[in-house]
Amino acid sequence: MKLKEVDRTAMQAWSPAQNHPIYLATGTSAQQLDATFSTNASLEIFELDLSDPSLDMKSCATFSSSHRYHKLIWGPYKMDSKGDVSGVLIAGGENGNIILYDPSKIIAGDKEVVIAQNDKHTGPVRALDVNIFQTNLVASGANESEIYIWDLNNFATPMTPGAKTQPPEDISCIAWNRQVQHILASASPSGRATVWDLRKNEPIIKVSDHSNRMHCSGLAWHPDVATQMVLASEDDRLPVIQMWDLRFASSPLRVLENHARGILAIAWSMADPELLLSCGKDAKILCSNPNTGEVLYELPTNTQWCFDIQWCPRNPAVLSAASFDGRISVYSIMGGSTDGLRQKQVDKLSSSFGNLDPFGTGQPLPPLQIPQQTAQHSIVLPLKKPPKWIRRPVGASFSFGGKLVTFENVRMPSHQGAEQQQQQHHVFISQVVTEKEFLSRSDQLQQAVQSQGFINYCQKKIDASQTEFEKNVWSFLKVNFEDDSRGKYLELLGYRKEDLGKKHIKEEKEESEFLPSSGGTFNISVSGDIDGLITQALLTGNFESAVDLCLHDNRMADAIILAIAGGQELLARTQKKYFAKSQSKITRLITAVVMKNWKEIVESCDLKNWREALAAVLTYAKPDEFSALCDLLGTRLENEGDSLLQTQACLCYICAGNVEKLVACWTKAQDGSHPLSLQDLIEKVVILRKAVQLTQAMDTSTVGVLLAAKMSQYANLLAAQGSIAAALAFLPDNTNQPNIMQLRDRLCRAQGEPVAGHESPKIPYEKQQLPKGRPGPVAGHHQMPRVQTQQYYPHGENPPPPGFIMHGNVNPNAAGQLPTSPGHMHTQVPPYPQPQRPQNGWNDPPALNRVPKKKKMPENFMPPVPITSPIMNPLGDPQSQMLQQQPSAPVPLSSQSSFPQPHLPGGQPFHGVQQPLGQTGMPPSFSKPNIEGAPGAPIGNTFQHVQSLPTKKITKKPIPDEHLILKTTFEDLIQRCLSSATDPQTKRKLDDASKRLEFLYDKLREQTLSPTITSGLHNIARSIETRNYSEGLTMHTHIVSTSNFSETSAFMPVLKVVLTQANKLGV
Amino acid sequence: MVSVINTVDTSHEDMIHDAQMDYYGTRLATCSSDRSVKIFDVRNGGQILIADLRGHEGPVWQVAWAHPMYGNILASCSYDRKVIIWREENGTWEKSHEHAGHDSSVNSVCWAPHDYGLILACGSSDGAISLLTYTGEGQWEVKKINNAHTIGCNAVSWAPAVVPGSLIDHPSGQKPNYIKRFASGGCDNLIKLEEEDGQWKEEQKLEAHSDWVRDVAWAPSIGLPTSTIASCSQDGRVFIWTCDDASSNTWSPKLLHKFNDVVWHVSWSITANILAVSGGDNKVTLWKESVDGQWVCISDVNKGQGSVSASVTEGQQNEQ
């Protein structure tokens, strides 16, 4: 494909490979006679700018010369890598002169551009070449067998390579060997080529065939093989290129006969030894493989002869050709479309006035063709074989899991093709591990979690802490796992209970010594003074008046003492009045203590006293408000405090067990981008979550957005270090965030576990537990099998015999675990076959049957509901007790499953069994699994759904009537969404949401939600009624932003999902 | 440490030009001058040849896996001017589509982020870049950017789909307004950033290399607002280009290193913190940015093996 053209009849020289940008120098050809018969000559330099799509070449400089040239070369002599233009232009003139030009000066527009000049040669200098090893050495050839070697450092006195060859002849070509620096070859039109050894200063070999028809117009050494060279002949009777190997100099190794008429010039690519350019009097430019003789490419040229052809040294795909029609064209051999290139107008003009005999040589020109049509075929195909320089020999690419895929092709000299076949083509897959410390710390964390050795772990961390703050944080975390955590917190804050107690006791003792003896008598005065009045009031039992009188007289102690006797109400009032009057520093503290108004302390204490505030909360706050208060304090520290206090907020959040806020606070303070600082955070978070899980018996499976982001970032880092299993273990479960679900899927598959269906967010089981005939894509949801068990009874059909269903492929894990006798199922069968989680999957929700080890907060714990049916359920029945103490609810499920329908009493609502989950809109609740045939099953209890809550409660209170509307509204909405949702992913989401809303219903049952939240929820419900979901979402946002995170986190995100879906589906 | 966990004997009969793992890292696709594309199952250190795909009539330069949400799809490009999209159907790999819209060697193929759909960018020696978009039912729509790089485009690499700076997911149902962008490098020594705004147009020209740009690699997004591109060239230089402010769209280059030979390939780790550089001297090196912003070579990988110098990591640790 033609890239550029210049209208000159000129010799050409590309700038050396080191030069950037690429220049092309042209010097008026000595053979040229243009239409004006002008004898002017010039040296010009053009820049090859490939980003310019036009055909024009940018002219950089023109120097008017008194010489015309037979040969022009551009050597890299004294070139520094930085300079834009450098090296030296060496020109061979008409009268035996060699002129050295400084190209940088030409470009600069300097007048003095000639470095040196020497006219030692006889006749025109047609041959020039620069030694590529010693760029100061230039060889030149002229008439009379003259060959000189010029040292550019000492230009005045040239050397000769040896005695002149006889008979004297013109030297048409000269070339330095490409491998051995002291070897030079010359050739003449007579057809002889001579190889010189400069060390021996004599010709070492003469190459010539015996046809006497080789008129050498071109000579080139093999770029790689030192002993091989090609000779081109311009004789029309023998238009060939001969390839010689000096080791077998008797005849050519190969003869390329691709031209129909004499060859005028050749050029061997330095970038690919399989590419040899040749142009001839047949007006062709060919690119052939001299090693095989095959023509790889024919340039789509014009119809003119080219007398000079050059590869661009820097850009191996580019070549230039000078033609007798007065034009230098720059081509690419990579083919391509010329559609985008605009044709030059002058093109057509000059070809219309074609020069018939521009050189006056009498040589016939090929017949002039009709002026070229611009509608030339626009698509130019590339070389038949790919050039060496586009064959990528090496590559290294990263892939998932910190793997690096590398391959390398050992360079083999091309002539050893046979051996190359033997080469093995290997690809290496390597594991790259760069963060060793990060991995080992992650490993320690995992071990601590698996072995439950939290205290040890925290202790180690405390010992290793480098800063006080770090130490504090770990100390606080450690306390979570110890008995009397609150006391220990206090100690950490600097308040030792025992110390205080001792102090106090001491003081008491001292005081008691000074107590007046109580043995004496006393006088009851009823005088009119204040004492008398009080006495009167007391005597009449009028405590209120007595207290008032005391207060009035500022006898506070008396007032309080009396108020205590006067009962709670009076005491309270008295306290209030006291506080109103009292002004002491600690009054507010006392007020708070007495009034149990901790919020006041936390909200209004000076932040410098945050430790004291936290201590007070730790000492006094009730379990149910404890977290919220710590939270509040933390929030204040974070929002109002200086940078030091802000970090201290972390401690409050640790006390509060508020993982999400800890993450937020920590992230703000630290640079989380480095693996180790992320590790710092994750260690704390993981330990805190464990603590919360153990101490507060809370379900920590729900993960906040920020934490989820951090955890997945962490998992990504682990994965990038090749720790796929660890990454899986840390990745939050039970989240709907698509990026996390995708990462989980990717990790599972990377481990080599096949997963059915790409989008499945959860991986059901470990591979080894998967039966071969595993059901299809549904298995992608780990909760599905259990649900399906209930669906398994076809509606209205005879259910299969008890026990049978479990052996189906629905729940493969159940097989073998279940006794076949249905009578025993509810007593002996484990609650429900648990899908075996991976051992290290400790991030999952706590297993159903695990009782939290320590329950510091029995307040959270619902006592068992009294047994309401003693007749069916004798109190002493060990079975029923066992059942009731089962920490998880699944037993009824499995027992139900095993009861065929006919056993059920008519009219019992049993929709959980009969209807597929998708239509109930909520998990089958088994609201009244009144199973008369099952002695031992409690009657009238409401069983919560198995998979939604892996909790410890057995029974549930009914939802208060006024809130029942919430449940029905939300469930109805989910139903509507489900019926209009089409894709399975949305359905799964909705199913999941329906289950998770149980959290909300539970809170409603327990009436633990604050009135603002419930009223907000009612607002949402109303907006759902009116189908105004965006309003609902706004209210949602309002609730979330104003409420306590830990109170709403279990259900608000799910509610949002439902609302968003409803909005999207437009139900 | 860089340690070989699997040596796959590909049995290719000529030079290998590319080797890429799929999304999960369980399958390896290779291509070679022997005109074939091969797929291996390399799980658990094994190497099971799954497919030996024949269809190209010239050396195959690159292979690219599509995101698995579209199925098992592999694209390959060749000197024969063709792009072939292969697809696994019922366990068998077959040619699914052939794109013959280029006039010269197709040197690079790269799938767009999956969020955009199934879109393949192909860079060719004819200077053009074509974009194939799957429109369903076996149909591919072709858009072509002509004269993207004079005498040839050597590499294409898509920008990640994540809107810079958004660490947290968008609420479901609301599709973020992505701008499709990719980088390309070519024989005009330029890196160009193309952007689709109704139609594809050149949005930026990055100039620093003094010779052919051999490869460009847009770094995966890790949630930071900075965009990063690595480029390598015939001139031996590797540059890291960063754009901190998406609105001003100014890119500044930083020289990672100047090698003594052509640099063929650059590849980012998934977490975008390590760059693998493959050079013409058959050397593979791994580079990491130190805390003071300097790029440091942390490993020399030879035949898949190498140690990792801890200097960078330690340096960072001391900083903390």
Side-chain angles (χ1 to χ4, degrees):
Chain A
M1 186 182 95
K2 188 183 275 190
L3 302 171
K4 302 281 174 196
E5 57 185 30
V6 183
D7 293 322
R8 302 282 185 284
T9 308
M11 305 307 294
Q12 45 180 346
W14 289 101
S15 56
Q18 299 92 317
N19 216 82
H20 172 75
I22 298 170
Y23 293 107
L24 182 70
T26 64
T28 308
S29 168
Q31 302 167 27
Q32 188 241 4
L33 262 184
D34 67 15
T36 61
F37 293 92
S38 154
T39 51
N40 291 337
S42 63
L43 199 56
E44 285 180 272
I45 294 181
F46 297 89
E47 184 186 335
L48 178 69
D49 180 9
L50 291 175
S51 57
D52 169 17
S54 82
L55 270 177
D56 294 303
M57 260 188 123
K58 198 169 102 194
S59 172
C60 296
T62 306
F63 167 73
S64 287
S65 160
S66 53
H67 305 282
R68 295 185 162 214
Y69 308 104
H70 280 278
K71 183 77 181 174
L72 189 63
I73 58 173
W74 193 331
Y77 172 65
K78 277 197 178 167
M79 194 155 173
D80 58 343
S81 52
K82 295 269 185 276
D84 272 355
V85 192
S86 46
V88 58
L89 265 172
I90 306 157
E94 292 167 291
N95 308 314
N97 48 352
I98 292 177
I99 313 149
L100 309 184
Y101 296 99
D102 185 339
S104 58
K105 285 188 176 164
I106 297 177
I107 288 181
D110 226 318
K111 286 241 159 45
E112 297 298 316
V113 297
V114 175
I115 302 169
Q117 188 169 344
N118 197 313
D119 51 1
K120 201 169 171 64
H121 269 301
T122 316
V125 180
R126 293 197 181 87
L128 283 171
D129 196 28
V130 173
N131 188 308
I132 58 168
F133 299 97
Q134 286 182 277
T135 55
N136 56 315
L137 294 184
V138 178
S140 66
N143 293 350
E144 306 295 325
S145 297
E146 274 177 10
I147 298 175
Y148 289 123
I149 312 291
W150 305 85
D151 183 350
L152 298 185
N153 297 322
N154 182 16
F155 191 61
T157 48
M159 304 162 276
T160 59
K164 282 186 184 176
T165 53
Q166 295 297 334
E169 53 190 353
D170 295 350
I171 303 293
S172 56
C173 334
I174 200 155
W176 292 97
N177 190 283
R178 300 296 187 185
Q179 297 290 319
V180 185
Q181 58 173 329
H182 53 86
I183 301 290
L184 179 75
S186 63
S188 61
S190 69
R192 260 193 299 276
T194 309
V195 179
W196 307 82
D197 184 339
L198 266 63
R199 285 192 310 196
K200 295 177 179 164
N201 213 29
E202 62 179 35
I204 50 168
I205 200 163
K206 288 188 181 171
V207 177
S208 133
D209 74 342
H210 306 292
S211 66
N212 284 327
R213 289 186 197 153
M214 276 295 288
H215 289 188
C216 285
S217 57
L219 160 68
W221 287 99
H222 195 295
D224 288 346
V225 185
T227 55
Q228 294 186 355
M229 64 180 193
V230 292
L231 295 171
S233 164
E234 65 176 322
D235 193 320
D236 286 348
R237 294 167 298 169
L238 192 69
V240 298
I241 297 170
Q242 292 177 336
M243 173 124 164
W244 291 85
D245 192 312
L246 302 184
R247 292 168 294 184
F248 319 101
S250 52
S251 63
L253 198 64
R254 194 171 295 109
V255 178
L256 279 63
E257 297 171 294
N258 302 318
H259 282 280
R261 298 176 70 180
I263 295 159
L264 293 172
I266 55 170
W268 204 331
S269 167
M270 289 295 285
D272 185 346
E274 297 189 337
L275 301 181
L276 179 71
L277 285 173
S278 56
C279 55
K281 292 188 269 186
D282 54 1
K284 278 184 180 171
I285 298 177
L286 298 180
C287 183
S288 22
N289 182 350
N291 304 311
T292 63
E294 184 192 6
V295 174
L296 299 170
Y297 192 56
E298 181 174 343
L299 253 83
T301 57
N302 49 33
T303 54
Q304 296 289 335
W305 301 359
C306 289
F307 57 90
D308 188 18
I309 192 158
Q310 303 281 343
W311 287 105
C312 170
R314 186 176 182 85
N315 194 331
V318 169
L319 62 102
S320 62
S323 55
F324 281 125
D325 61 351
R327 185 181 299 160
I328 290 173
S329 305
V330 177
Y331 298 93
S332 151
I333 54 161
M334 292 309 293
S337 159
T338 54
D339 289 345
L341 296 174
R342 80 183 160 77
Q343 293 289 319
K344 294 206 315 183
Q345 286 301 310
V346 281
D347 203 0
K348 289 176 211 160
L349 282 173
S350 76
S351 56
S352 315
F353 291 99
N355 303 321
L356 285 174
D357 188 3
F359 315 109
T361 57
Q363 272 185 320
L365 285 176
L368 184 67
Q369 308 253 318
I370 295 149
Q372 279 176 22
Q373 297 299 305
T374 44
Q376 56 181 223
H377 190 50
S378 65
I379 291 168
V380 181
L381 295 185
L383 281 177
K384 268 187 203 161
K385 82 150 206 150
K388 191 179 166 189
W389 61 81
I390 74 168
R391 281 178 277 167
R392 185 162 86 181
V394 61
S397 303
F398 274 106
S399 85
F400 186 64
K403 292 199 184 82
L404 185 70
V405 183
T406 54
F407 63 89
E408 48 196 66
N409 296 281
V410 181
R411 272 184 187 168
M412 288 281 184
S414 53
H415 62 280
Q416 292 170 327
E419 287 162 43
Q420 203 166 7
Q421 299 272 310
Q422 302 294 318
Q423 194 190 340
Q424 289 193 316
H425 297 280
H426 283 157
V427 171
F428 302 102
I429 303 171
S430 311
Q431 183 68 58
V432 178
V433 177
T434 55
E435 305 288 345
K436 272 195 187 153
E437 191 192 350
F438 169 74
L439 281 185
S440 81
R441 279 177 61 182
S442 165
D443 202 42
Q444 284 165 16
L445 176 61
Q446 252 189 298
Q447 278 173 13
V449 168
Q450 269 164 22
S451 64
Q452 309 264 317
F454 303 115
I455 295 183
N456 269 342
Y457 183 77
C458 294
Q459 189 56 51
K460 268 186 208 156
K461 283 281 163 194
I462 294 170
D463 298 341
S465 293
Q466 309 217 330
T467 65
E468 195 59 28
F469 175 65
E470 185 82 6
K471 201 168 186 168
N472 273 339
V473 168
W474 281 111
S475 306
F476 269 70
L477 283 168
K478 182 182 164 210
V479 162
N480 278 308
F481 300 98
E482 295 171 328
D483 294 331
D484 184 25
S485 56
R486 284 203 190 185
K488 297 244 167 71
Y489 277 138
L490 280 173
E491 277 177 36
L492 287 171
L493 288 168
Y495 297 94
R496 253 181 184 285
K497 246 185 192 170
E498 294 96 68
D499 285 2
L500 270 177
K502 275 179 205 154
K503 238 192 241 170
H504 187 62
I505 288 163
K506 213 172 156 197
E507 280 166 11
E508 240 172 33
K509 271 185 192 160
E510 284 164 5
E511 270 173 27
S512 62
E513 284 167 21
F514 295 97
L515 273 181
S517 86
S518 50
T521 56
F522 70 97
N523 180 18
I524 302 172
S525 155
V526 287
S527 55
D529 62 357
I530 198 98
D531 278 357
L533 289 174
I534 293 173
T535 310
Q536 284 174 30
L538 284 176
L539 289 175
T540 54
N542 189 347
F543 287 103
E544 205 164 339
S545 305
V547 167
D548 278 347
L549 287 167
C550 290
L551 283 174
H552 190 257
D553 198 31
N554 227 10
R555 292 159 71 167
M556 292 299 174
D558 287 352
I560 300 285
I561 300 274
L562 283 173
I564 292 170
Q568 279 301 314
E569 208 182 314
L570 180 58
L571 178 60
R573 257 184 286 138
T574 313
Q575 284 171 345
K576 241 185 205 159
K577 283 178 186 164
Y578 167 77
F579 292 134
K581 284 189 117 179
S582 173
Q583 298 295 328
S584 110
K585 270 186 194 167
I586 61 161
T587 310
R588 284 178 85 175
L589 177 60
I590 298 175
T591 313
V593 171
V594 174
M595 308 302 268
K596 302 195 168 50
N597 189 358
W598 306 109
K599 215 172 163 198
E600 158 79 9
I601 290 195
V602 167
E603 273 178 346
S604 51
C605 71
D606 186 338
L607 280 179
K608 279 180 198 142
N609 293 328
W610 69 272
R611 281 172 185 276
E612 287 68 30
L614 185 57
V617 168
L618 282 165
T619 314
Y620 293 106
K622 272 187 280 178
D624 56 338
E625 58 183 12
F626 172 70
S627 289
L629 289 171
C630 293
D631 243 18
L632 195 62
L633 185 59
T635 314
R636 274 196 67 207
L637 283 170
E638 217 181 325
N639 294 340
E640 301 166 30
D642 55 27
S643 58
L644 195 72
L645 289 176
Q646 278 175 7
T647 51
Q648 307 293 350
C650 291
L651 296 177
C652 296
Y653 293 139
I654 290 174
C655 293
N658 191 335
V659 180
E660 186 76 0
K661 282 205 167 170
L662 175 66
V663 174
C665 179
W666 186 269
T667 314
K668 230 193 284 179
Q670 313 277 328
D671 163 36
S673 64
H674 189 265
L676 287 180
S677 62
L678 185 60
Q679 174 72 29
D680 280 341
L681 170 66
I682 296 296
E683 280 169 359
K684 283 156 196 129
V685 167
V686 164
I687 295 295
L688 181 59
R689 288 191 61 181
K690 278 288 144 187
V692 170
Q693 199 173 310
L694 288 178
T695 57
Q696 303 184 6
M698 258 174 61
D699 177 21
T700 54
S701 63
T702 42
V703 171
V705 174
L706 195 55
L707 174 61
K710 284 285 165 195
M711 288 302 253
S712 65
Q713 193 189 343
Y714 186 65
N716 264 319
L717 269 175
L718 283 169
Q721 299 291 319
S723 297
I724 306 271
L728 261 176
F730 281 102
L731 198 64
D733 206 345
N734 287 4
T735 168
N736 284 328
Q737 292 185 40
N739 55 347
I740 292 180
M741 296 194 294
Q742 281 163 16
L743 181 57
R744 174 169 298 278
D745 166 65
R746 198 172 187 184
L747 287 166
C748 284
R749 297 254 214 163
Q751 267 194 326
E753 315 295 340
V755 184
H758 159 66
E759 284 294 302
S760 62
K762 284 168 186 151
I763 310 308
Y765 309 103
E766 289 295 301
K767 188 187 186 183
Q768 61 270 23
Q769 289 164 338
L770 280 173
K772 287 216 168 120
R774 181 172 53 98
V778 273
H781 200 291
H782 83 186
Q783 295 173 340
M784 287 308 274
R786 287 188 252 173
V787 176
Q788 283 177 342
T789 321
Q790 294 148 23
Q791 295 176 327
Y792 204 83
Y793 288 104
H795 186 68
E797 274 182 34
N798 257 352
F804 175 78
I805 35 164
M806 291 308 200
H807 289 285
N809 59 0
V810 176
N811 189 337
N813 290 325
Q817 288 184 358
L818 289 170
T820 38
S821 156
H824 290 123
M825 283 188 87
H826 59 283
T827 54
Q828 294 177 357
V829 171
Y832 194 84
Q834 288 288 311
Q836 299 275 305
R837 307 294 306 187
Q839 273 221 328
N840 49 8
W842 46 267
N843 205 17
D844 306 330
L848 292 188
N849 52 1
R850 188 156 114 213
V851 187
K853 270 190 178 169
K854 298 174 190 172
K855 290 193 182 160
K856 303 270 171 68
M857 301 191 177
E859 292 89 344
N860 276 0
F861 200 48
M862 297 288 286
V865 167
I867 292 164
T868 52
S869 179
I871 303 151
M872 293 305 296
N873 227 341
L875 221 97
D877 186 349
Q879 275 188 357
S880 76
Q881 289 205 336
M882 193 205 93
L883 263 179
Q884 290 198 346
Q885 283 160 9
Q886 277 289 359
S888 55
V891 176
L893 174 60
S894 57
S895 59
Q896 259 185 8
S897 308
S898 57
F899 282 102
Q901 241 173 336
H903 286 240
L904 296 169
Q908 283 290 344
F910 221 101
H911 54 270
V913 172
Q914 293 170 343
Q915 289 179 342
L917 173 73
Q919 281 161 31
T920 59
M922 58 165 288
S925 63
F926 302 102
S927 50
K928 297 233 171 185
N930 184 357
I931 308 161
E932 289 170 338
I939 295 170
N941 289 346
T942 306
F943 283 88
Q944 65 190 87
H945 191 258
V946 194
Q947 62 255 48
S948 60
L949 273 182
T951 76
K952 55 277 154 190
K953 292 180 210 118
I954 307 170
T955 55
K956 286 185 178 178
K957 292 186 213 163
I959 296 178
D961 285 341
E962 69 268 25
H963 296 322
L964 210 53
I965 181 84
L966 293 176
K967 182 171 173 176
T968 52
T969 311
F970 294 154
E971 276 173 9
D972 175 48
L973 182 62
I974 293 178
Q975 269 318 299
R976 293 205 307 262
C977 289
L978 270 171
S979 52
S980 63
T982 47
D983 65 309
Q985 212 193 345
T986 313
K987 286 198 184 224
R988 264 204 303 274
K989 233 188 230 175
L990 288 165
D991 278 346
D992 196 40
S994 151
K995 281 164 220 151
R996 279 155 181 268
L997 279 177
E998 281 296 320
F999 283 112
L1000 168 62
Y1001 307 148
D1002 284 348
K1003 296 223 177 195
L1004 290 172
R1005 287 185 183 101
E1006 292 156 23
Q1007 299 188 309
T1008 51
L1009 288 175
S1010 71
T1012 44
I1013 294 178
T1014 44
S1015 77
L1017 287 169
H1018 278 286
N1019 282 339
I1020 292 183
R1022 271 192 291 279
S1023 74
I1024 291 175
E1025 292 291 337
T1026 60
R1027 305 243 190 302
N1028 191 347
Y1029 304 117
S1030 52
E1031 189 190 53
L1033 278 167
T1034 319
M1035 290 171 192
H1036 181 281
T1037 316
H1038 179 72
I1039 298 175
V1040 172
S1041 56
T1042 53
S1043 68
N1044 179 356
F1045 177 83
S1046 55
E1047 199 177 353
T1048 58
S1049 62
F1051 56 85
M1052 283 311 270
V1054 182
L1055 196 52
K1056 183 167 186 179
V1057 168
V1058 175
L1059 283 168
T1060 318
Q1061 283 300 337
N1063 198 16
K1064 196 165 124 192
L1065 295 165
V1067 293
Chain B
M1 275 297 289
V2 183
S3 39
V4 175
I5 52 176
N6 199 345
T7 304
V8 182
D9 182 356
T10 60
S11 300
H12 275 301
E13 287 154 22
D14 205 340
M15 275 171 89
I16 298 172
H17 297 299
D18 199 13
Q20 295 288 337
M21 295 268 238
D22 71 349
Y23 178 79
Y24 299 107
T26 56
R27 278 181 299 181
L28 175 74
T30 61
C31 60
S32 153
S33 267
D34 69 5
R35 307 180 170 196
S36 70
V37 172
K38 294 187 183 189
I39 299 172
F40 298 88
D41 183 331
V42 291
R43 273 180 298 179
N44 307 317
Q47 41 178 299
I48 304 158
L49 180 66
I50 301 175
D52 184 348
L53 304 174
R54 307 278 169 161
H56 280 297
E57 294 155 48
V60 189
W61 301 134
Q62 276 191 15
V63 284
W65 290 93
H67 192 277
M69 70 185 280
Y70 300 106
N72 291 323
I73 296 174
L74 185 76
S76 61
C77 61
S78 158
Y79 190 72
D80 68 2
R81 315 195 296 281
K82 284 189 286 202
V83 172
I84 297 183
I85 293 165
W86 311 87
R87 187 184 195 108
E88 187 190 42
E89 212 92 56
N90 306 319
T92 340
W93 282 89
E94 266 164 22
K95 187 194 285 186
S96 155
H97 181 68
E98 189 176 291
H99 169 54
H102 284 285
D103 303 324
S104 186
S105 173
V106 185
N107 302 320
S108 184
V109 280
C110 183
W111 290 102
H114 64 87
D115 318 57
Y116 306 157
L118 209 48
I119 306 178
L120 185 71
C122 323
S124 163
S125 283
D126 66 5
I129 296 168
S130 58
L131 293 138
L132 308 186
T133 307
Y134 188 66
T135 53
E137 289 160 18
Q139 297 303 306
W140 294 82
E141 179 198 86
V142 182
K143 281 183 191 169
K144 203 161 172 187
I145 306 170
N146 279 315
N147 299 310
H149 296 276
T150 312
I151 47 169
C153 171
N154 294 327
V156 280
S157 175
W158 287 87
V162 182
V163 180
S166 66
L167 200 76
I168 293 154
D169 267 5
H170 295 264
S172 53
Q174 183 189 331
K175 249 197 169 172
N177 195 17
Y178 296 123
I179 300 169
K180 297 183 192 124
R181 283 208 290 178
F182 67 83
S184 60
C187 299
D188 53 3
N189 310 349
L190 294 176
I191 296 151
K192 290 187 176 178
L193 307 185
E194 312 270 352
E195 189 177 294
E196 191 182 41
D197 183 14
Q199 62 184 37
W200 284 98
K201 62 174 189 199
E202 182 185 314
E203 172 228 16
Q204 189 99 347
K205 243 188 228 178
L206 307 183
E207 280 186 84
H209 288 292
S210 58
D211 209 332
W212 291 6
V213 177
R214 285 293 188 176
D215 199 9
V216 285
W218 207 306
S221 163
I222 48 163
L224 299 175
T226 309
S227 302
T228 308
I229 296 173
S231 67
C232 63
S233 159
Q234 188 74 25
D235 66 11
R237 290 186 181 90
V238 175
F239 280 106
I240 306 294
W241 302 82
T242 49
C243 172
D244 295 324
D245 179 11
S247 55
S248 76
N249 202 10
T250 45
W251 292 79
S252 46
K254 174 170 231 163
L255 182 66
L256 177 130
H257 188 65
K258 170 145 178 13
F259 295 84
N260 291 325
D261 204 340
V262 43
V263 182
W264 286 93
H265 185 49
V266 280
S267 168
W268 289 102
S269 66
I270 306 288
T271 42
N273 60 341
I274 305 175
L275 185 73
V277 178
S278 334
D281 46 5
N282 273 336
K283 279 228 175 99
V284 174
T285 46
L286 303 184
W287 297 76
K288 208 174 162 195
E289 193 178 16
S290 65
V291 266
D292 55 351
Q294 294 305 309
W295 285 88
V296 183
C297 179
I298 56 164
S299 185
D300 268 307
V301 185
N302 187 14
K303 292 201 185 306
Q305 306 261 35
S307 59
V308 169
S309 72
S311 59
V312 176
T313 329
E314 276 166 11
Q316 288 186 341
Q317 205 191 326
N318 294 339
E319 286 284 318
Q320 292 195 347

